[in-house]
Amino acid sequence: MRKVLQPILAVALGLALGLGVTRIAGESPWHVLQILWRSAFGSNYDFGMTLFYSTPLILTGLAVAVPFQAGLFNIGAEGQLTLGALAAAAVGALWPVMPWPLAPVLATLAAILAGTVWGAIPGWLRARRGSHEVINTIMLNFIAAGLASYVTLYLLKNPDSQNPETRPIGAGYLIHQFGVFGGAPVSLALPLAVMAAVLVWILLWRTVLGYEMRAVGQSEPAARAAGINPGRIRIIAMSVAGGLAGLVGVGEVLGNAGKFRLGFSPEYGFIGIAVALLGRNQPVGVVASALLFGALHKGAADLDLETEHVTRELSLILQALIILSVSAEGLWSWMKKRREA
Amino acid sequence: MTAQLVASTLRVSTPLIFAALGGMFCERSGVINIALEGMMLMGAFGAAVGTLVSHSPWLGSVCGMGAGVALAAIYGLFVIRLRANQIVAGMAINMLAMGLTPFICKILYDVTGSTPSIPIAERFQSAPLYLSWGLVVICFLWMRYTPTGLWVSFAGEHPEALAAAGIRVNRVRWVAVLVSGALAGMGGASLSIFLSSSFSRDMTAGRGFMALAALIFGKWKPLPTALACLLFGFADAVQIRLQGVALWGDQPIPVQFIQILPYLVTILVLAGFVGRSRAPKALGTAFQEG
């Protein structure tokens, strides 16, 4: 019970604090909450946009959750998803005449592969050179951004556009968008992300590999004594994470933009950390909290227009406060102690 | 040309040096500081607002440092008092700064993008540059020759030993976190009221993380860290200079490869391919006082 209650309390606390902040801007918190709700769920289109933002967050949330179960902290989902999207767009731009069913499959595999490689690097560095994955993944995020900028502006530049983006991909690459959402780009990427969550659940709780990952995450010496090679497990966990993050490219490139646009991600990778944390690093929790953060992101988008002084950046403040409340170990153990006393 | 490049290297290194030295106190005391980026951003904003109000860059930078300290206090509350995971809380603090700065900017100036620009007479001309190098010397002497400097090291290496000697570990860490907020705030101030003429949205653009990289490259020691800042600043200055310059034909030089160099060398150094960098032993672990 506590496992479900604590995240819900943390969300409530974070929202209360964050909405309290809007008072400073002279706006009624209740009014702001109404706008958030309406803008996230008010119409089919709004709800579609919420789902559109939630899709990459499911994947980046999983990309943080899987290594976390193996005792690793993946701050690198941002870089992994950047290269995944870039790879999908590169395949689509370089071989534009590929026929339909083959084309999206190839682009998807390219996205997974690019993300996997980018995840495997910090996994390997941790396993074989002992350097910490947190610093390495942060650094790799910047390197990925630099590489993506180079490829986009020098190798695959779209000659018909002033924006920093690649040439469009071939028509055969585009995947199905659901019509019921009034034009919101909800594509096959959404069921794909949910399927990924199911597969991650099976991997972690129904396979030997998943058992080994969790064993390494809980106690490395114990895992080693049981004959598990922690280095190998770490490399695999980070590679899987990279592949999951790389899948973000499918929804963005094949399901939405039809090309790679520099800076398309509003920090999906970082919000994924919050998603995983709030979802307690469990696939079901990740999907649920991805939906919440997607709704916050979409909900806040209309604040600029509909209020006098509150800006869309309120969603960042709300997200930060929710993460802080859920992460405050001391707060929860203090509450537990008080209840028991 | 050369003199210009040297001058611009020194100038763009200044914010990095302040922030990296701030990160040094925090990390040497055992607290990871991923939040340098956010503290710099708050500092940059606070300094711009302070200067616009007071018409003095000195008072402005005090405001910037205050803004950094305020954010550091929230960080300290969560990681020291409430034992939150330092990486998670650090990322959240960065997000908070990214959200709060445009939010407050909108309330004060009715725009989200940037503060009004600060007249040149009210900005710093070169003071932060000298100040930063003075600070390098002070930090070096402090960490090496004073008892309090030793406390900081012990809090990060052997907190139990420090506690056994009767020193409150978490009190030392609190001071270190707040000092890092002040210095990172000064780093941000030197961005907004020294290197540019106003605060603009997300103007730190990863410099907090670059300062963190310099700290690791400099093995968590003041002098090598400052030199690493200088090296990264040099890469930045070269990159700015080469932007749009044609190499052969009309192909511009791809400056991206210079931009990623600091991050690449940090990975290589941390992995022991080039020298070796070792983190304080108790870095990242909360200390529960018995």
Side-chain angles (χ1 to χ4, degrees):
Chain A
M1 193 56 214
R2 223 187 119 228
K3 268 164 67 174
V4 185
L5 198 63
Q6 186 182 318
I8 292 174
L9 278 176
V11 170
L13 185 64
L15 278 178
L17 285 172
L19 291 173
V21 170
T22 60
R23 278 225 79 95
I24 304 169
E27 213 56 67
S28 132
W30 177 242
H31 179 57
V32 171
L33 188 64
Q34 277 177 319
I35 295 173
L36 285 177
W37 181 268
R38 179 154 33 86
S39 165
F41 302 108
S43 70
N44 282 11
Y45 173 79
D46 291 324
F47 184 53
M49 288 308 290
T50 292
L51 290 178
F52 171 70
Y53 289 126
S54 304
T55 306
L57 295 180
I58 295 176
L59 294 166
T60 54
L62 293 172
V64 177
V66 171
F68 196 92
Q69 293 285 357
L72 296 167
F73 220 130
N74 180 19
I75 313 275
E78 192 67 29
Q80 293 146 16
L81 73 87
T82 300
L83 290 191
L86 183 67
V91 168
L94 292 174
W95 296 285
V97 285
M98 198 77 69
W100 174 69
L102 184 64
V105 171
L106 272 182
T108 303
L109 289 178
I112 295 175
L113 183 68
T116 304
V117 169
W118 215 244
I121 295 171
W124 182 85
L125 285 168
R126 171 69 196 268
R128 302 280 177 261
R129 310 294 307 189
S131 60
H132 206 285
E133 76 280 359
V134 166
I135 302 296
N136 283 332
T137 47
I138 292 174
M139 299 301 137
L140 283 167
N141 285 343
F142 287 105
I143 297 175
L147 288 179
S149 154
Y150 171 71
V151 172
T152 307
L153 299 178
Y154 290 85
L155 303 182
L156 296 171
K157 175 128 187 58
N158 185 352
D160 304 324
S161 167
Q162 289 297 313
N163 299 324
E165 58 186 37
T166 63
R167 297 200 297 267
I169 59 177
Y173 285 91
L174 300 175
I175 55 174
H176 180 70
Q177 285 189 0
F178 300 108
V180 290
F181 295 108
V186 183
S187 68
L188 278 177
L190 175 65
L192 187 71
V194 175
M195 208 171 74
V198 175
L199 288 177
V200 164
W201 184 83
I202 294 174
L203 168 71
L204 285 174
W205 277 278
R206 287 291 179 272
T207 67
V208 175
L209 184 62
Y211 168 78
E212 291 181 341
M213 280 183 189
R214 288 181 293 124
V216 172
Q218 268 156 28
S219 164
E220 191 194 323
R224 203 183 281 277
I228 299 169
N229 176 353
R232 182 178 147 262
I233 294 297
R234 290 202 170 105
I235 297 175
I236 295 175
M238 283 303 291
S239 308
V240 170
L244 287 162
L247 272 177
V248 170
V250 175
E252 164 62 18
V253 176
L254 313 182
N256 179 37
K259 56 194 146 204
F260 176 84
R261 302 170 299 161
L262 267 185
F264 76 88
S265 158
E267 312 270 26
Y268 287 134
F270 292 122
I271 305 173
I273 300 168
V275 168
L277 188 74
L278 189 65
R280 304 210 134 226
N281 298 296
Q282 313 268 346
V284 181
V286 164
V287 173
S289 57
L291 208 59
L292 172 78
F293 282 97
L296 279 179
H297 190 85
K298 168 64 179 83
D302 287 350
L303 285 174
D304 289 308
L305 288 174
E306 298 207 19
T307 67
E308 200 62 27
H309 285 298
V310 180
T311 63
R312 60 165 62 212
E313 283 79 14
L314 183 69
S315 78
L316 286 169
I317 299 176
L318 289 173
Q319 285 165 6
L321 291 171
I322 292 174
I323 305 173
L324 284 173
S325 350
V326 78
S327 70
E329 254 337 293
L331 180 69
W332 302 109
S333 54
W334 174 77
M335 274 180 56
K336 197 177 157 209
K337 240 185 277 168
R338 267 189 54 134
R339 224 179 2 216
E340 281 162 3
Chain B
M1 166 82 189
T2 323
Q4 256 180 351
L5 197 59
V6 170
S8 82
T9 297
L10 285 170
R11 285 167 62 88
V12 297
S13 308
T14 305
L16 292 180
I17 291 176
F18 280 116
L21 289 175
M24 185 202 70
F25 280 107
C26 194
E27 300 224 327
R28 285 288 286 275
S29 83
V31 180
I32 298 175
N33 201 339
I34 306 254
L36 280 178
E37 176 83 7
M39 294 175 188
M40 277 183 96
L41 193 63
M42 282 301 273
F45 180 67
V49 174
T51 309
L52 283 166
V53 171
S54 70
H55 304 288
S56 147
W58 293 101
L59 288 175
S61 49
V62 170
C63 289
M65 289 165 80
V69 169
L71 201 64
I74 302 178
Y75 182 61
L77 172 71
F78 276 90
V79 298
I80 300 173
R81 187 82 186 77
L82 298 173
R83 300 192 311 280
N85 181 303
Q86 297 174 359
I87 291 151
V88 172
M91 296 310 294
I93 291 289
N94 288 336
M95 231 181 230
L96 194 62
M98 273 165 64
L100 275 178
T101 43
F103 184 83
I104 303 173
C105 198
K106 170 87 174 178
I107 297 173
L108 293 178
Y109 304 109
D110 208 29
V111 282
T112 53
S114 57
T115 60
S117 84
I118 302 157
I120 189 154
E122 293 172 11
R123 299 200 304 255
F124 278 125
Q125 302 313 313
S126 53
L129 200 162
Y130 303 121
L131 215 58
S132 68
W133 284 97
L135 199 67
V136 172
V137 176
I138 292 172
C139 288
F140 168 74
L141 295 174
W142 187 5
M143 289 307 285
R144 179 164 282 196
Y145 296 111
T146 69
T148 46
L150 208 61
W151 293 357
V152 171
S153 294
F154 264 86
E157 296 282 349
H158 302 287
E160 295 79 13
L162 188 64
I167 311 292
R168 302 275 292 270
V169 172
N170 283 346
R171 197 167 289 180
V172 173
R173 288 186 171 177
W174 257 113
V175 173
V177 167
L178 295 179
V179 167
S180 88
L183 294 184
M186 187 60 209
S190 39
L191 270 179
S192 62
I193 60 177
F194 169 49
L195 296 183
S196 34
S197 59
S198 68
F199 169 84
S200 58
R201 210 187 140 128
D202 297 337
M203 78 181 307
T204 43
R207 282 187 184 79
F209 291 110
M210 195 180 274
L212 194 67
L215 179 63
I216 296 162
F217 193 32
K219 304 180 192 228
W220 287 269
K221 292 186 181 122
L223 288 181
T225 297
L227 293 177
C229 291
L230 214 50
L231 182 70
F232 293 175
F234 176 69
D236 200 19
V238 168
Q239 176 261 120
I240 293 166
R241 178 149 290 251
L242 290 182
Q243 229 150 38
V245 176
L247 192 57
W248 54 82
D250 55 353
Q251 258 324 333
I253 298 171
V255 291
Q256 283 87 353
F257 291 105
I258 304 171
Q259 282 170 340
I260 64 176
L261 269 181
Y263 308 110
L264 199 60
V265 295
T266 303
I267 291 179
L268 294 178
V269 167
L270 205 58
F273 291 122
V274 191
R276 192 84 178 120
S277 188
R278 191 186 67 80
K281 222 179 254 159
L283 185 62
T285 47
F287 186 78
Q288 199 159 12
E289 263 155 23

